[in-house]
Amino acid sequence: APERLRKVFEELGPTFIKLGQMMSTRADMVGQELASEFSRLQDDTIPIDFEIVKGIVETELGKPLNEIFQSFEEEQLAAASIGQVHQAVLDDGTRVAVKVQRPDIQDTVEKDLIIMHHLADLINNRVSSLRVYNFPEIVDEFDKSIHKEMDYQLEARNAIKFQANFADNNGIHAPVIYEDYSTSLVLTMEFIHGTKMGEVMESPAGFDNKLLAERVATSYFQQILMDGFFHADPHPGNLYVLEGNVLCYIDFGMMGHIEHDFRL
């Protein structure tokens, strides 16, 4: 069943792939077997044509691209289901990463969510062997999280708050957000020079693994037990290691909150 479900999600497209990726991090909800199978899901998204990207950025920021940036790379750094990232340089020479949301993705997601809720209810009611996974609850959680993830202004505020929480910790970093160059559909942030945590895990030579493990653990203790505000999508692709074994979190679209009384 897990393998069949993964293949179905792949055929249904980007929104379902995104749901599967979320489920791969929630073994506590879906079980280790299904989580492991869904970890094989990868974004395989056709890049947005550069002219469309250019149009979105110019419309959102209100100026021609060459008046906003010193340079803007046409080739994307990454393309995913909700948006894609381009490298650019601001007028003052600052190197940045610009995340641009896909056109009409919000309408696509809304239609897919209707299908997801319907399928989840059907599975829960008619396939007794899959009832243990509680798909209606999973889709409800995904519905909330993907709406937050599509709001780049919210992501910007999350990143800024996270930075403030770790302002006194030189071992933890998050990309600087350039608010004057950001909207709900365009997010401009510091370009990160580093190594993905997944690559560090595969080839740890040259890194201080004990220190990195300590920084991951202590930073999460602080997020959950002290701040009540934590990164809710900490897979190895969203963690980078910078020079000096500095741990860098990226992608603040999904954040969790824990009330003060519950932390006590």
Side-chain angles (χ1 to χ4, degrees):
E3 183 180 0
R4 291 199 300 273
L5 277 172
R6 173 180 60 80
K7 291 179 178 179
V8 167
F9 277 34
E10 286 174 337
E11 290 187 17
L12 287 171
T15 312
F16 284 84
I17 290 173
K18 196 81 178 170
L19 171 62
Q21 290 171 339
M22 184 204 80
M23 292 167 65
S24 74
T25 68
R26 295 301 308 269
D28 59 313
M29 290 181 67
V30 303
Q32 189 58 55
E33 184 182 7
L34 191 59
S36 296
E37 185 64 37
F38 276 179
S39 69
R40 299 174 59 189
L41 286 168
Q42 299 293 328
D43 282 312
D44 186 17
T45 309
I46 298 173
I48 314 169
D49 183 81
F50 178 70
E51 287 303 313
I52 296 175
V53 170
K54 181 173 179 287
I56 293 171
V57 174
E58 291 181 339
T59 299
E60 289 294 306
L61 300 185
K63 292 181 181 179
L65 205 63
N66 60 4
E67 292 183 16
I68 306 169
F69 300 97
Q70 191 179 112
S71 65
F72 195 102
E73 296 292 330
E74 293 191 16
E75 186 73 19
Q76 74 281 355
L77 290 172
S81 51
I82 291 177
Q84 70 183 38
V85 180
H86 290 257
Q87 182 179 318
V89 178
L90 299 179
D91 280 338
D92 64 1
T94 303
R95 194 177 176 198
V96 294
V98 183
K99 184 156 68 169
V100 183
Q101 193 165 123
R102 289 181 172 276
D104 303 321
I105 186 63
Q106 298 197 25
D107 289 341
T108 300
V109 167
E110 293 300 338
K111 292 173 183 175
D112 284 345
L113 284 170
I114 292 171
I115 297 170
M116 283 182 183
H117 284 291
H118 180 62
L119 289 176
D121 289 338
L122 280 177
I123 290 170
N124 199 58
N125 293 331
R126 301 191 181 186
V127 187
S128 58
S129 62
L130 297 178
R131 199 166 294 152
V132 65
Y133 298 126
N134 196 352
F135 282 110
E137 182 179 338
I138 291 170
V139 173
D140 286 343
E141 181 178 330
F142 176 71
D143 192 328
K144 296 174 185 175
S145 67
I146 197 167
H147 278 100
K148 292 177 181 177
E149 196 170 349
M150 288 190 295
D151 184 350
Y152 287 174
Q153 287 181 320
L154 175 61
E155 181 175 348
R157 293 195 298 272
N158 288 340
I160 292 167
K161 182 176 180 179
F162 186 92
Q163 289 166 349
N165 289 344
F166 285 93
D168 297 326
N169 189 331
N170 294 328
I172 306 296
H173 185 72
V176 175
I177 301 297
Y178 295 91
E179 295 181 82
D180 291 342
Y181 300 87
S182 300
T183 69
S184 61
L185 301 181
V186 175
L187 180 59
T188 301
M189 69 199 90
E190 172 190 1
F191 186 89
I192 295 299
H193 303 266
T195 306
K196 285 185 179 181
M197 182 62 78
E199 296 175 14
V200 174
M201 294 165 66
E202 292 177 2
S203 304
F207 299 94
D208 188 334
N209 301 319
K210 182 178 180 181
L211 178 59
L212 286 172
E214 180 182 326
R215 284 176 169 170
V216 171
T218 56
S219 67
Y220 252 89
F221 282 135
Q222 176 180 327
Q223 291 173 62
I224 293 173
L225 301 178
M226 298 172 64
D227 301 333
F229 179 71
F230 63 93
H231 195 296
D233 192 21
H235 62 74
N238 280 343
L239 293 173
Y240 276 70
V241 180
L242 311 185
E243 186 177 354
N245 293 287
V246 173
L247 179 67
C248 179
Y249 287 83
I250 66 167
D251 196 347
F252 293 88
M254 293 173 61
M255 302 296 291
H257 299 264
I258 302 176
E259 295 296 330
H260 177 74
D261 291 345
F262 186 78
R263 282 181 273 136
L264 294 177

